[in-house]
Amino acid sequence: MDRFGNVLFENTEIENERLELMDKEAHYFLGPNLTMKNCTLVLKVSAPRLFFDGARFINCTFEVKQELKNHQQWLAASLKGCRFKGRLSGCDFGHWPEYMSLPGFQHGSIEDCDFTEARLDGCRIMGSAPATLRFPKWPCFTLLDPIRRARELNSVQWPGGFRPIIVEGQYRDPPCTMAVTLHAPSLAKRRESTEEAFRAVVEQFDCIVY
């Protein structure tokens, strides 16, 4: 750690190591020019303290020990064959063209990754094909190709007035949104509804994985 409280991993290749990123006073910078293979990263820091600058992760495991909220830095990481464990909410993965001008974000990608041991809520796959990914099962559910299927998904009445995809207005989902995963119990709580009510709607669609 330097005198500013920064922990830097850059310009190197790390293989078969276990890294614990858990110091709540530190800022962790992974990249640029970092490749990690077959590593385990234990994350117990908030999103504003974790930065990926074009880092490449190959066959790595991410163990999220405290809920990671609204972490957009995954879009600046190349993720291949990785596994995720723990709770993530409001996180985006993959490639978002509008972020291309930011350092590291031109390298964003995701493929062959496994989220089956994670709890995702409001997490999106951007600009990358979700076909190679494994998503968590119920009570999580994943909308595939949601922009193209938006009219269909919004054609039924969801509990609590929920709209799964918004394609107009200031808060619309970007065109590069390829998949969205939600956590039914959390969604039901926010919408003052029930998990069962959401499942009844989810079961109507063949574009939803659960």
Side-chain angles (χ1 to χ4, degrees):
M1 183 185 298
D2 65 18
R3 62 190 181 92
F4 300 108
N6 298 324
V7 180
L8 310 176
F9 297 91
E10 59 185 10
N11 303 315
T12 189
E13 183 171 310
I14 302 174
E15 193 166 358
N16 300 315
E17 294 287 346
R18 178 183 175 89
L19 274 65
E20 296 188 348
L21 283 55
M22 304 174 68
D23 188 335
K24 297 186 183 302
E25 302 301 320
H27 289 86
Y28 292 94
F29 293 86
L30 284 76
N33 301 317
L34 171 69
T35 298
M36 301 191 72
K37 298 179 179 179
N38 301 308
C39 291
T40 296
L41 292 91
V42 181
L43 309 179
K44 196 176 180 181
V45 291
S46 61
R49 293 187 174 274
L50 182 60
F51 301 89
F52 300 136
D53 185 359
R56 298 176 64 228
F57 300 97
I58 303 169
N59 298 328
C60 292
T61 297
F62 293 91
E63 298 182 359
V64 181
K65 296 299 185 180
Q66 89 178 25
E67 184 172 3
L68 192 58
K69 300 179 180 179
N70 303 319
H71 189 52
Q72 304 304 304
Q73 286 286 315
W74 295 112
L75 292 163
S78 171
L79 303 159
K80 184 173 183 179
C82 294
R83 174 174 293 182
F84 295 81
K85 303 178 181 182
R87 296 180 298 160
L88 302 102
S89 59
C91 295
D92 291 335
F93 302 83
H95 178 70
W96 194 334
E98 284 78 2
Y99 282 30
M100 284 282 286
S101 61
L102 300 176
F105 281 80
Q106 65 270 26
H107 301 292
S109 64
I110 184 168
E111 62 178 310
D112 298 324
C113 289
D114 187 343
F115 291 98
T116 56
E117 295 181 71
R119 194 199 81 176
L120 306 182
D121 187 31
C123 294
R124 301 181 296 188
I125 303 300
M126 314 298 286
S128 297
T132 67
L133 308 179
R134 297 180 63 195
F135 293 101
K137 300 298 185 182
W138 190 264
C140 291
F141 61 96
T142 301
L143 316 177
L144 299 176
D145 199 9
I147 301 300
R148 190 172 66 85
R149 307 289 289 264
R151 180 175 294 182
E152 177 185 354
L153 290 165
N154 291 330
S155 67
V156 302
Q157 185 173 351
W158 289 76
F162 176 65
R163 290 186 65 194
I165 294 296
I166 300 174
V167 293
E168 297 178 346
Q170 181 180 358
Y171 300 106
R172 64 184 181 274
D173 291 283
C176 63
T177 306
M178 305 302 292
V180 180
T181 302
L182 296 152
H183 181 244
S186 300
L187 185 56
K189 184 177 181 180
R190 292 194 295 269
R191 292 288 169 169
E192 298 182 343
S193 183
T194 65
E195 180 181 332
E196 293 74 20
F198 274 96
R199 177 147 188 162
V201 178
V202 165
E203 290 176 342
Q204 300 178 35
F205 295 97
D206 60 6
C207 61
I208 299 180
V209 176
Y210 61 96

